[in-house]
Amino acid sequence: TWFQFFQACVVFFCLLCGIYLHLTRSWKMGSGQWHVEKRSTLKKESFLKEYGAAVSESRSLSIIVLGASGDLAKKKTFPALFNLYHQRFLNPDEVHIFGYARTKLSDEELRDKIRRYLVDEKNASEKAEALSKFLQLIKYVSGPYDSEDGFKRLDKAISEHEISKKSSQESTRRLFYLALPPSVYPPVCKMIKECCTNKSDVGGWTRIVVEKPFGKDLESAEQLSSQIGKLFDESQIYRIDHYLGKELVQNMLVLRFANRFFLPLWNRDNIANVQIVFREDFGTEDRGGYFDEYGIIRDIIQNHLLQAKPLPFDCLPLMQVLCLVAMEKPISLKPEHIRDEKVKVLQSVVPIKDEEVVLGQYEGYRDDPTVPNDSNTPTFATTILRIDNERWEGVPFILKAGKAMGSKKADIRIQFKDVPGDIFKCQKQGRNEFVIRLQPSEAMYMKLTVKQPGLEMQTVQSELDLSYKQRYQDVSIPEAYERLILDTIKGDQQHFVRRDELKAAWEIFTPLLHRIEKGEVKSIPYKPGSRGPTEADQLLEKAGYLQTHGYMWIPPTL
């Protein structure tokens, strides 16, 4: 019919319009031929956001580890890269890894240096083939951190890899991991910017991963942020906080916002207090002089150190965990929406009062010859933070961290208020608590009051327990560095610290840190292997925390 013919004409016309919009055609004068020109390019960021996932399968990837000969690189960075490779998250047809440091080494010498850190002895045979292939992907370039010569040689090596993969500039990806002290960040970033960045503004990218500590106070952190910010956009900078890659830390958003029964309880009407605790059962060992420059607040509560010698127990940035516990529900899971809510929490924290701080220093700390005899540097701190918003007004957030304690653990402890009308007369046994054990023995459990089995009506505290090793026996939980490096490659900044977030955290603690340095807040001696100063327990009691007596959670056996 005429109507059907008309419909066909409309469809054909739309098809022609679509072809016309995708191609700009110009008639070559005198040649009598059509010449097809590429349409104008898209801007890099919008291209990546819309099409990045689709094109990532066919682009070369260069991962550059700066400080490749150091402890952090060989004990954390390279093992994480190998595990990603072994699990096929790094495509051997695309990826190449470059080490850069001042130490003069050959490619083979670097491979031998890191080999023993990549696999355990028990897994050596089954991973031997993968290990051999992975090591062949590593190339080493030596040079200073403040000279163009070395970085130009590095750029040449990267470019040769990209050419060998037949990659155009539009599809090359360069990831620079700075396994270096923060003091060299500015000159290294300057050299990367001038000599080694991706040359295209379409499709490809250059990203920078920087390790903490990021400054010693607000002023130094802002200065460092400003120096790097002049060279790279915020979307290119990944401030890695490895604890945000831990499985149970990443579980926080799911727990809070995917479970209905938590939603009405997670507020000041039901929660009495929140504790975020980190304990180490050893002291500063052979790094006392280095630790003395920072103290426990910078080392654990606000920051974690780039350690010359990695500790057997990871440091915990308690402020990042606090944000996940206290933040409001983001409008989506997009990284910027999540980070916006975290910043709001930090900006709502009121100034810390001296009477809500207890500092300690374990006996024997000053015996270290690298520590000054009159050092006031705390090795223990209990600090109460108060968040001035509708959800958390009146609820103390207790941050507790210490070295040379009686046990080692890291957990989040949400203590609920007393049940009104205690008809069973059981309040003295303890309150309900929801505990997230971050390490060791990852677990979540809820402390409940239940009837003790038997003929009599007696109550006892027990728990509902989700222990990861028991529940997920066949699941390999990835290391934090693996997850975060993969996030960096994907361009997901959700688990990385944004500049305004870093600034807000330093604004909270810098005044207290300066008062400590002036000697206005003193550290109280405590015995190694204890709970810390008794004044800390008194502060917790004053804040409203009720300790449970006669109950202890025991990790279940397999």
Side-chain angles (χ1 to χ4, degrees):
T1 65
W2 282 105
F3 180 74
Q4 290 173 326
F5 177 75
F6 176 76
Q7 283 183 314
C9 289
V10 170
V11 171
F12 183 72
F13 177 76
C14 292
L15 180 62
L16 289 177
C17 289
I19 295 173
Y20 180 79
L21 289 173
H22 280 78
L23 300 173
T24 302
R25 290 175 176 159
S26 61
W27 183 261
K28 272 192 173 181
M29 298 301 295
S31 66
Q33 295 178 346
W34 285 103
H35 174 64
V36 182
E37 296 178 346
K38 292 181 180 179
R39 78 178 191 181
S40 59
T41 59
L42 300 170
K43 292 296 182 183
K44 177 181 178 181
E45 289 305 317
S46 61
F47 181 88
L48 284 175
K49 288 179 182 178
E50 189 169 356
Y51 303 104
V55 302
S56 63
E57 293 296 322
S58 61
R59 296 184 290 167
S60 68
L61 172 62
S62 301
I63 300 175
I64 302 95
V65 181
L66 297 112
S69 60
D71 276 359
L72 178 64
K74 68 184 181 185
K75 294 181 179 179
K76 293 293 183 181
T77 313
F78 283 116
L81 291 173
F82 172 68
N83 288 334
L84 288 174
Y85 172 83
H86 186 251
Q87 297 172 67
R88 301 183 181 180
F89 286 104
L90 296 180
N91 187 340
D93 295 329
E94 297 177 357
V95 71
H96 209 74
I97 300 169
F98 299 86
Y100 185 92
R102 289 177 294 206
T103 308
K104 292 186 177 181
L105 297 170
S106 66
D107 294 349
E108 200 58 41
E109 285 173 330
L110 177 63
R111 293 165 187 166
D112 290 340
K113 190 179 180 71
I114 66 174
R115 187 188 303 270
R116 66 188 181 95
Y117 295 99
L118 302 184
V119 293
D120 298 328
E121 290 184 5
K122 61 181 180 180
N123 299 323
S125 58
E126 64 184 70
K127 294 184 178 180
E129 183 179 355
L131 176 62
S132 177
K133 292 179 179 179
F134 173 78
L135 290 172
Q136 292 306 308
L137 297 175
I138 298 175
K139 182 177 179 59
Y140 184 73
V141 179
S142 65
Y145 293 126
D146 56 357
S147 170
E148 289 187 0
D149 292 341
F151 281 88
K152 285 181 177 178
R153 283 187 281 109
L154 176 61
D155 180 64
K156 181 181 178 182
I158 299 171
S159 298
E160 288 174 353
H161 156 66
E162 293 168 346
I163 292 171
S164 72
K165 299 297 182 183
K166 298 180 180 180
S167 300
S168 63
Q169 289 185 349
E170 289 84 0
S171 63
T172 58
R173 299 169 290 170
R174 297 186 177 187
L175 173 61
F176 293 86
Y177 193 111
L178 276 61
L180 296 165
S183 58
V184 298
Y185 287 174
V188 168
C189 287
K190 184 174 184 290
M191 291 297 102
I192 293 172
K193 179 68 175 179
E194 293 179 355
C195 304
C196 298
T197 55
N198 180 294
K199 306 302 187 296
S200 173
D201 64 347
V202 180
W205 47 252
T206 299
R207 292 173 185 156
I208 309 296
V209 180
V210 291
E211 281 273 357
K212 294 171 100 175
F214 215 79
K216 291 183 66 176
D217 55 17
L218 177 60
E219 182 180 357
S220 60
E222 276 294 283
Q223 182 181 7
L224 197 54
S225 293
S226 178
Q227 290 172 326
I228 299 178
K230 290 177 181 178
L231 301 169
F232 296 99
D233 296 334
E234 185 66 23
S235 61
Q236 296 177 283
I237 303 170
Y238 290 71
R239 299 176 187 86
I240 192 168
D241 193 337
H242 78 269
Y243 225 88
L244 292 181
K246 293 286 187 182
E247 183 67 31
L248 285 179
V249 174
Q250 294 209 334
N251 210 347
M252 277 302 305
L253 292 185
V254 180
L255 282 172
R256 287 197 53 199
F257 302 121
N259 294 288
R260 178 60 184 258
F261 64 86
F262 280 133
L263 295 178
L265 299 178
W266 213 268
N267 54 51
R268 61 179 181 170
D269 296 328
N270 299 285
I271 293 177
N273 55 76
V274 177
Q275 270 197 80
I276 305 173
V277 178
F278 179 82
R279 295 177 182 170
E280 292 173 328
D281 59 356
F282 55 90
T284 57
E285 297 184 336
D286 59 352
R287 57 192 283 271
Y290 184 62
F291 177 87
D292 200 71
E293 298 179 23
Y294 290 86
I296 198 72
I297 294 177
R298 289 187 181 98
D299 184 27
I300 296 177
I301 294 181
Q302 156 60 16
N303 238 323
H304 69 81
L305 297 180
L306 174 63
Q307 297 149 5
K309 177 182 178 183
L311 298 175
F313 201 64
D314 294 328
C315 291
L316 168 62
L318 304 186
M319 289 301 293
Q320 294 298 318
V321 177
L322 178 143
C323 289
L324 294 173
V325 173
M327 63 183 278
E328 296 297 319
K329 186 176 183 178
I331 61 175
S332 79
L333 290 177
K334 291 182 178 179
E336 292 311 306
H337 292 158
I338 293 173
R339 300 203 292 180
D340 286 344
E341 296 302 329
K342 290 165 66 179
V343 171
K344 289 178 185 177
V345 170
L346 295 173
Q347 291 174 339
S348 299
V349 175
V350 302
I352 300 171
K353 299 178 181 178
D354 287 353
E355 58 267 27
E356 293 192 323
V357 176
V358 171
L359 304 179
Q361 186 184 94
Y362 68 83
E363 296 173 1
Y365 169 72
R366 299 181 195 175
D367 294 343
D368 188 322
T370 62
V371 174
N373 293 330
D374 59 348
S375 172
N376 186 46
T377 300
T379 61
F380 172 96
T382 295
T383 305
I384 296 176
L385 298 187
R386 299 187 181 273
I387 300 173
D388 186 18
N389 63 21
E390 183 178 1
R391 181 181 295 272
W392 297 115
E393 183 180 7
V395 179
F397 282 75
I398 304 164
L399 308 186
K400 187 175 181 180
K403 294 183 178 292
M405 306 291 286
S407 62
K408 62 177 183 180
K409 72 172 184 176
D411 62 29
I412 306 165
R413 187 175 298 269
I414 292 97
Q415 187 173 83
F416 291 88
K417 293 184 176 180
D418 292 327
V419 176
D422 182 21
I423 60 174
F424 293 103
K425 309 301 180 186
C426 59
Q427 283 188 0
K428 62 181 180 180
Q429 290 178 336
R431 291 170 166 171
N432 295 144
E433 292 183 353
F434 178 47
V435 182
I436 303 171
R437 173 65 69 91
L438 303 177
Q439 62 180 37
S441 303
E442 294 94 337
M444 292 179 282
Y445 61 94
M446 297 188 70
K447 290 170 60 175
L448 304 173
T449 299
V450 299
K451 178 186 176 297
Q452 184 170 332
L455 296 175
E456 297 183 358
M457 179 57 72
Q458 293 183 349
T459 60
V460 66
Q461 281 217 321
S462 188
E463 70 281 326
L464 298 176
D465 190 329
L466 170 60
S467 292
Y468 270 53
K469 286 185 178 179
Q470 185 183 50
R471 179 64 178 84
Y472 303 111
Q473 295 182 30
D474 299 325
V475 177
S476 176
I477 298 176
E479 288 291 327
Y481 277 97
E482 296 172 34
R483 191 190 307 271
L484 294 176
I485 290 174
L486 187 60
D487 283 347
T488 307
I489 296 170
K490 292 178 177 179
D492 185 349
Q493 291 186 305
Q494 174 181 336
H495 305 296
F496 297 83
V497 182
R498 202 168 64 187
R499 180 175 177 176
D500 56 345
E501 185 181 350
L502 183 73
K503 179 182 178 182
W506 276 121
E507 286 175 338
I508 294 169
F509 283 100
T510 293
L512 173 61
L513 290 168
H514 288 173
R515 293 198 297 274
I516 294 171
E517 289 166 355
K518 293 176 182 177
E520 296 174 7
V521 185
K522 297 292 186 180
S523 295
I524 303 168
Y526 65 95
K527 292 186 178 299
S530 67
R531 288 175 50 85
T534 56
E535 288 83 350
D537 289 333
Q538 295 168 3
L539 177 62
L540 264 62
E541 186 177 350
K542 183 179 178 181
Y545 172 70
L546 294 183
Q547 186 175 354
T548 301
H549 297 283
Y551 168 86
M552 179 178 293
W553 176 73
I554 301 175
T557 57
L558 298 179

